[in-house]
């Protein structure tokens, strides 16, 4: 199995069948990371456990995406999204993340579970451009208002493509285009 | 968690380790006491004993970690078999083979949990009618990936099925809506046609009586012409009679001259006789001549008198004739003036009935045009139904027809520019027609626009489409009502005091 190939821009590209898995508590602190997570992020298990998940947050990621993610998770729905993550050595990798609540026998949410898969290159190009615009909007304004504007920008981008967020992301993942 | 320390009388590892370690420590202790008693306190014994004790301690610590990790593995497995797949075993660094076992188990659980979450979310959404959450098989090996692919294709099949069912559902509710309304629409058209038919019948009767009247007029004209010929003849006759009369009066003048001459001669004779009588003596001779002359004279006078008598008789005869002719003429003229009066009456009623016919034709044509406008309307809706059934790719021209806005369709042009505006612009029904007409267009257009979205997967969209068509139908009903009112008002207007009392007088 071919492991990650790092490109000159410092990007690590996942292999087709890899899964990067992590779990968090309800507050987003890491409770589990699989070995691929550790090897790609460059952190040991001890460095990861009980740390907030934004440990691997990349500055190119818009805040609006995480806001949407937490909102979705809190309503017990699954979340999909393209995510750019940071490695401990400054490199980065793109994934298509699927985050779901972990529900116990009695129906209580115990934490969250994230499975990350390789994202198609053409989808990354499209999304990176969108995220860049959103990050610029968030940087230009400040606070909640800027995030609202960024969310609005995402919404208008979706409207242009006549799709809702989740169908759009799923289609991008499956077909590499809208 | 209750933890039993034995399994069918065989102690568990932890008990084995603890007992073993206690025994080992006891043996080490006893060996240390024994050798000290026997050989005295030796630094090497002490060091060796402590070393062995520490190593033993480490050993027991690792053993206990192993046991504890095993317990966590057991717990994770137990919870998994109860269906909680989210448990993992972390912090196994330094546990070697057991650590590897733990990671292998974690990897397995990652995959199994992912598999079940995929299946779970996919079907949960399918149950809600959303077939677009395809299970993601990437990263899941062998049977798991295959299984997700199989699930994906069965979900696709379900989706097609549901699409078909939903398509049928929409088609049948649109069909129901359409047939109910179409029948009403057709009934309306039927009523219009019945009305036009009645008008046409009445109009036909009128035309027939007009034709008969015209025929009679023609015959009357013929009679009048004969009468005029007759009068011309009579006038000729009168002229002839007058000619003859003037000739007769010439003769009378002649006769009267003769009588005058006779009188003159008689007078002369009387003079002669008186002269001759003066020469008395020869009385007999002279008188004989005079007597002859007088005799001849009296004969001539008698003849003349007779002829005058005759002439006078024939004259009076002719006068009689003339008066007869004049009478006849008078009669003819009287008859003629009656005929002319009759003719005039007929002509008036013909004119009136023509006027009525014109109005009837006007009304009929308004009814026909209104009916046409209504039919256009029905066709517009039918285009909508057809386009909704097959989509715009299949029914290009239908969609193009639907895209036309309410000012540009036949009815719109009729309303805003054409006859409608001219003839009905002043009626209140005309103003009330605009809004529902626009609504028919916008509703059908909206329904079509909705049908371009994924209505096959959305109950709500289908309901919205039907609701839009229902809106179109009720608006259309109002359009029909208003047009009928226009026709009614129009008919009343043309039946009321006619603005054109065209009398021939
Ligand atoms: C299960 C789970 C997985 C997550 N994975 C990531 C991740 O891979 N990268 C990341 O930047 N944030 C991830 N997050 C979100 C972080 O918790 C955090 O919200 C995000 O990094 C934004 O950080 P900030 O709120 O400090 O800006 C994850 C959250 C959960 C619950």
């Amino acid at each position: 199995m071919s492991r990650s190939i790092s490109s000159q821009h410092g990007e690590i590209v996942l292999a087709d069948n890899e899964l990067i898995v992590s779990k968090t508590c309800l507050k987003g602190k890491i409770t589990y990371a699989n070995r691929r997570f550790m090897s790609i992020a460059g952190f040991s298990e001890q460095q990861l456990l009980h740390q907030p998940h934004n440990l691997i947050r990349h500055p190119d990621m818009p805040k609006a995406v995480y806001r949407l993610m937490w909102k979705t998770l809190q309503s017990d729905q699954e979340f999909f999204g393209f995510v750019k993550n940071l490695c401990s050595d400054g490199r980065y990798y793109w994934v298509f993340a699927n985050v779901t609540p972990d529900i116990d026998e009695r129906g209580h949410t115990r934490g969250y579970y994230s499975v990350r898969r390789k994202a198609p290159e053409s989808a990354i190009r499209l999304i990176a451009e969108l995220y860049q615009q959103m990050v610029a909007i968030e940087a230009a304004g400040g606070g909640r208002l800027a995030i609202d504007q960024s969310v609005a920008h995402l919404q208008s981008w979706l409207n242009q493509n006549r799709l809702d967020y989740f169908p759009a992301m799923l289609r991008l993942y499956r077909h590499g285009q809208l | 968690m209750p933890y039993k320390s034995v399994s069918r009388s065989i102690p568990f590892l932890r008990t084995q380790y603890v007992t073993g370690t206690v025994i080992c420590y006891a043996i080490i202790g006893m060996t240390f006491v024994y050798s000290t008693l026997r050989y005295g306190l030796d630094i090497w014994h002490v060091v060796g004993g402590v070393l062995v004790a520490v190593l033993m301690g480490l050993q027991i610590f690792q053993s206990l970690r192993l046991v504890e990790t095993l317990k966590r593995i057991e717990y994770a497995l137990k919870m998994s078999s109860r269906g909680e797949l989210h448990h993992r075993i972390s912090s196994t660094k330094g546990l070697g083979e057991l650590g590897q076992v733990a990671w292998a188990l974690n990897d397995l659980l990652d995959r199994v949990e992912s598999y079940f979450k995929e299946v779970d979310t996919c079907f949960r959404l399918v149950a809600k009618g959303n077939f677009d959450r395809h299970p993601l098989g990437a990263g899941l090996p062998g049977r798991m990936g295959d299984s997700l692919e199989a699930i994906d294709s069965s979900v696709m099949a379900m989706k097609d099925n549901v699409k078909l069912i939903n398509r049928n559902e929409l088609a049948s509710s649109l069909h129901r809506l359409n047939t109910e309304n179409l029948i009403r629409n057709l009934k309306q058209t039927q009523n219009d046609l019945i009305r036009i038919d009645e008008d046409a019948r009445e109009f036909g009767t009128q035309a027939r009586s007009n034709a008969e009247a015209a025929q009679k007029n023609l015959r009357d004209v013929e009679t009048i012409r004969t009468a005029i010929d007759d009068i011309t003849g009579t006038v000729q006759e009168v002229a002839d009679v007058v000619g003859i009369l003037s000739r007769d009066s010439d003769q009378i003048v002649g006769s009267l001259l003769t009588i005058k001459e006779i009188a003159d001669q008689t007078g002369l004779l009387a003079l002669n006789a008186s002269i001759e009588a003066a020469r008395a003596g020869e009385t007999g001779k002279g008188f004989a001549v005079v007597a002859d002359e007088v005799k001849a004279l009296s004969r001539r006078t008698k003849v003349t008198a007779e002829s005058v008598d005759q002439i006078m008789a024939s004259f009076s005869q002719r006068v009689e004739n003339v008066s007869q002719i004049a009478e006849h003429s008078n009669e003819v003229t009287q008859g003629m003036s009656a005929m002319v009066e009759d003719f005039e009456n007929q002509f008036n009623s013909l004119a009136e009935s023509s006027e009525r016919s014109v109005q009837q034709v006007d009304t009929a044509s308004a009814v026909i045009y209104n009916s046409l406008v209504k039919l256009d309307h029905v066709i517009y809706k039918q285009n909508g139904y057809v386009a909704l059934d097959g989509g715009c790719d299949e029914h290009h021209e239908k969609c193009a027809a639907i895209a036309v806005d309410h000012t540009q369709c036949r009815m719109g042009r009729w309303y805003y520019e054409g006859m409608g505006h001219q003839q009905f612009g002043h009626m209140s029904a005309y103003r009330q027609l605009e809004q529902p007409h626009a609504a028919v267009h916008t509703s059908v257009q909206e329904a079509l626009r909705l049908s371009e979205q994924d209505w096959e997967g959305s109950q709500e969209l289908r309901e919205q489409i039907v609701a839009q068509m229902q809106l179109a139908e009720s608006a259309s009903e109002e359009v029909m009502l208003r047009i009928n009112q226009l026709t009614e008002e129009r008919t009343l207007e043309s039946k009321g005091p006619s603005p054109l009392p065209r009398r021939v007088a």
Side-chain angles (χ1 to χ4, degrees):
Chain A
M1 186 169 79
S2 86
R3 279 298 199 175
S4 50
I5 315 144
S6 59
S7 77
Q8 68 264 51
H9 304 297
E11 175 174 7
I12 304 176
V13 178
L14 297 192
D16 282 342
N17 260 329
E18 281 179 324
L19 292 182
I20 299 181
V21 181
S22 69
K23 284 177 174 291
T24 71
C25 66
L26 289 174
K27 289 189 181 133
K29 291 204 172 136
I30 298 169
T31 55
Y32 168 75
N34 74 346
R35 283 178 293 183
R36 183 59 186 132
F37 188 112
M38 297 180 225
S39 72
I40 199 164
F43 290 110
S44 70
E45 194 177 41
Q46 273 125 313
Q47 285 172 306
L48 289 173
L49 287 182
H50 312 301
Q51 297 304 310
H53 217 311
N54 63 10
L55 189 73
I56 56 166
R57 189 188 189 295
H58 197 284
D60 287 353
M61 281 299 292
K63 289 194 176 70
V65 172
Y66 293 112
R67 185 206 267 191
L68 179 63
M69 182 191 92
W70 281 106
K71 240 169 82 180
T72 313
L73 290 178
Q74 268 149 19
S75 61
D76 275 347
Q77 310 264 302
E78 65 167 347
F79 172 83
F80 279 121
F82 289 90
V83 177
K84 187 179 187 177
N85 274 333
L86 194 63
C87 307
S88 63
D89 59 7
R91 287 184 299 169
Y92 64 89
Y93 57 98
W94 275 98
V95 291
F96 180 63
N98 173 220
V99 189
T100 45
D102 277 338
I103 310 222
D104 72 7
E105 280 176 300
R106 270 159 297 169
H108 296 138
T109 304
R110 304 310 297 264
Y112 302 107
Y113 176 59
S114 174
V115 181
R116 304 171 187 78
R117 298 174 168 90
K118 179 192 165 101
E121 218 187 296
S122 54
I124 294 174
R125 273 199 301 274
L126 259 173
I127 284 291
E129 196 189 319
L130 171 69
Y131 281 0
Q132 211 174 2
Q133 294 158 0
M134 290 169 69
V135 168
I137 291 173
E138 287 169 15
R144 302 195 125 266
L145 202 76
I147 303 182
D148 289 343
Q149 286 168 341
S150 170
V151 170
H153 182 73
L154 171 63
Q155 193 54 52
S156 74
W157 182 84
L158 290 168
N159 290 348
Q160 255 171 34
N161 293 294
R162 296 169 124 244
L163 279 169
D164 287 339
Y165 179 81
F166 290 110
M169 294 303 123
L170 212 60
R171 192 180 291 195
L172 266 178
Y173 171 68
R174 284 165 54 86
H175 310 295
Q177 60 195 36
L178 284 171
Chain B
M1 183 179 56
Y3 187 76
K4 285 191 289 174
S5 54
V6 286
S7 160
R8 290 202 185 165
S9 77
I10 299 167
F12 272 0
L13 280 181
R14 192 181 136 91
T15 324
Q16 289 180 21
Y17 282 140
V18 171
T19 337
T21 311
V22 168
I23 292 169
C24 281
Y25 272 126
I27 290 170
I28 291 168
M30 284 192 302
T31 311
F32 181 73
V33 169
Y34 170 75
S35 63
T36 310
L37 287 179
R38 182 94 190 259
Y39 307 106
L41 195 63
D42 176 19
I43 186 72
W44 291 111
H45 276 164
V46 174
V47 170
V50 168
L51 216 67
V52 168
V54 168
L55 280 176
M56 281 287 296
L58 282 175
Q59 200 63 43
I60 182 76
F61 177 72
Q62 273 300 74
S63 306
L64 287 181
R65 262 190 77 203
L66 276 178
V67 170
E68 186 266 343
T69 306
L70 277 171
K71 272 186 345 194
R72 282 194 291 137
I73 290 176
E74 189 209 0
Y75 178 70
L77 286 171
K78 227 151 101 186
M79 293 315 284
S80 300
S81 60
R82 282 203 212 159
E84 273 189 24
L85 295 171
H86 60 262
H87 300 276
R88 297 292 186 276
I89 301 105
S90 54
S91 307
T92 55
K93 202 174 162 133
L95 289 183
E97 289 93 331
L98 189 60
Q100 279 180 336
V101 169
W103 276 120
L105 182 61
N106 283 341
D107 284 346
L108 172 68
L109 285 174
D110 284 349
R111 284 172 171 80
V112 173
E113 185 176 12
S114 297
Y115 173 86
F116 279 108
K117 280 197 159 161
E118 287 300 314
V119 173
D120 189 47
T121 27
C122 173
F123 278 110
R124 217 147 8 102
L125 290 172
V126 162
K128 286 186 195 156
N130 179 349
F131 296 89
D132 294 326
R133 172 58 172 91
H134 300 268
L136 306 179
L140 297 183
R143 293 288 298 273
M144 285 191 197
D146 294 349
S147 155
L148 284 189
E149 262 169 45
I151 287 175
D152 195 16
S153 37
S154 14
V155 167
M156 290 292 76
M158 281 164 74
K159 178 179 180 175
D160 288 344
N161 236 345
V162 168
K163 254 188 183 174
L164 197 70
I165 291 168
N166 290 346
R167 186 189 284 273
N168 279 342
E169 185 205 287
L170 180 68
S172 78
S173 42
L174 285 177
H175 187 69
R176 205 172 325 113
L177 187 63
N178 185 16
T179 30
E180 280 165 11
N181 286 286
L182 186 61
I183 287 172
R184 249 210 311 275
N185 291 164
L186 287 179
K187 279 227 170 81
Q188 282 234 17
T189 310
Q190 192 184 37
N191 284 341
D192 287 346
L193 287 178
I194 287 171
R195 193 175 161 167
I196 291 166
D197 180 54
E198 275 168 6
D199 279 1
R201 264 169 220 274
E202 202 180 314
F203 179 53
T205 324
Q206 198 128 36
R208 224 181 342 272
S209 82
N210 282 357
E212 275 164 18
Q215 207 75 47
K216 185 165 180 298
N217 287 351
L218 207 64
R219 279 199 304 278
D220 287 355
V221 168
E222 196 61 36
T223 321
I224 289 171
R225 215 193 57 200
T226 331
I228 288 169
D229 281 356
D230 205 359
I231 291 168
T232 318
T234 316
V235 167
Q236 191 56 51
E237 266 178 62
V238 171
D240 288 353
V241 170
V242 168
I244 291 166
L245 276 180
S246 85
R247 245 185 299 128
D248 285 354
S249 67
D250 283 355
Q251 275 184 27
I252 293 170
V253 169
S255 303
L256 288 175
L257 272 174
T258 314
I259 292 169
K260 202 182 162 197
E261 273 171 27
I262 292 168
D264 285 350
Q265 277 179 13
T266 313
L268 215 65
L269 281 175
L271 187 65
N272 282 346
S274 69
I275 292 164
E276 288 309 317
R279 275 187 220 156
E282 298 158 80
T283 314
K285 258 189 175 171
F287 264 111
V289 176
V290 173
D292 283 350
E293 277 304 321
V294 171
K295 237 167 127 182
L297 182 65
S298 74
R299 213 169 28 246
R300 268 181 71 192
T301 305
K302 203 179 145 195
V303 169
T304 302
E306 268 172 7
S307 110
V308 168
D309 203 37
Q310 255 174 19
I311 284 165
M312 286 320 281
S314 99
F315 190 73
S316 82
Q317 178 61 45
R318 290 205 192 284
V319 166
E320 182 74 10
N321 281 352
V322 167
S323 86
Q324 264 174 20
I325 284 165
E327 194 145 326
H328 179 60
S329 276
N330 198 26
E331 271 168 22
V332 167
T333 315
Q334 260 172 14
M336 219 165 81
S337 90
M339 223 178 304
V340 165
E341 199 168 316
D342 194 25
F343 186 64
E344 189 200 303
N345 284 341
Q346 277 180 30
F347 199 78
N348 272 339
S349 76
L350 188 65
E352 267 167 30
S353 108
S354 302
E355 187 61 44
R356 262 203 311 283
S357 299
V358 167
Q359 275 162 8
Q360 241 158 6
V361 170
D362 262 11
T363 316
S365 83
V367 175
I368 290 170
Y369 201 86
N370 289 358
S371 180
L372 186 63
V373 165
K374 281 195 271 185
L375 267 182
D376 273 355
H377 209 67
V378 175
I379 287 165
Y380 185 85
K381 280 186 302 181
Q382 292 308 307
N383 279 340
Y385 284 116
V386 174
L388 280 176
D389 190 38
C392 279
D393 296 337
E394 215 177 298
H395 303 289
H396 256 311
E397 20 22 303
K398 303 269 185 285
C399 286
I402 291 161
V404 169
D405 97 312
H406 74 283
T407 61
Q408 288 309 309
C409 63
R410 189 202 311 253
M411 185 161 156
R413 289 201 302 272
W414 167 87
Y415 188 92
Y416 292 103
E417 300 155 24
M419 227 164 70
H421 184 66
Q422 290 159 23
Q423 298 191 340
F424 304 102
H426 59 287
M427 299 175 184
S428 63
Y430 174 85
R431 287 187 293 281
Q432 286 162 332
L433 178 58
E434 183 171 19
Q435 192 272 330
H437 176 214
V440 172
H441 279 256
T442 50
S443 303
V444 174
Q445 282 162 358
E446 177 63 11
L448 204 60
R449 199 185 61 72
L450 289 170
S451 79
E452 279 162 16
Q453 298 173 35
D454 176 33
W455 57 265
E456 283 153 330
S458 159
Q459 172 86 26
E460 194 191 332
L461 265 177
R462 288 195 300 279
E463 279 167 7
Q464 278 177 10
I465 290 173
V466 175
Q468 284 297 335
M469 288 312 283
Q470 252 152 0
L471 270 182
E473 286 294 359
S474 57
S476 152
E477 201 159 331
E478 196 180 342
V479 166
M480 303 275 175
L481 176 78
R482 298 300 175 211
I483 292 183
N484 285 347
Q485 284 175 349
L486 288 183
T487 314
E488 264 354 284
E489 274 191 55
R490 175 65 207 256
T491 318
L492 281 180
E493 269 182 10
S494 66
K495 273 189 187 148
S498 164
L500 305 157
R502 237 188 274 153
R503 290 218 130 244
V504 181

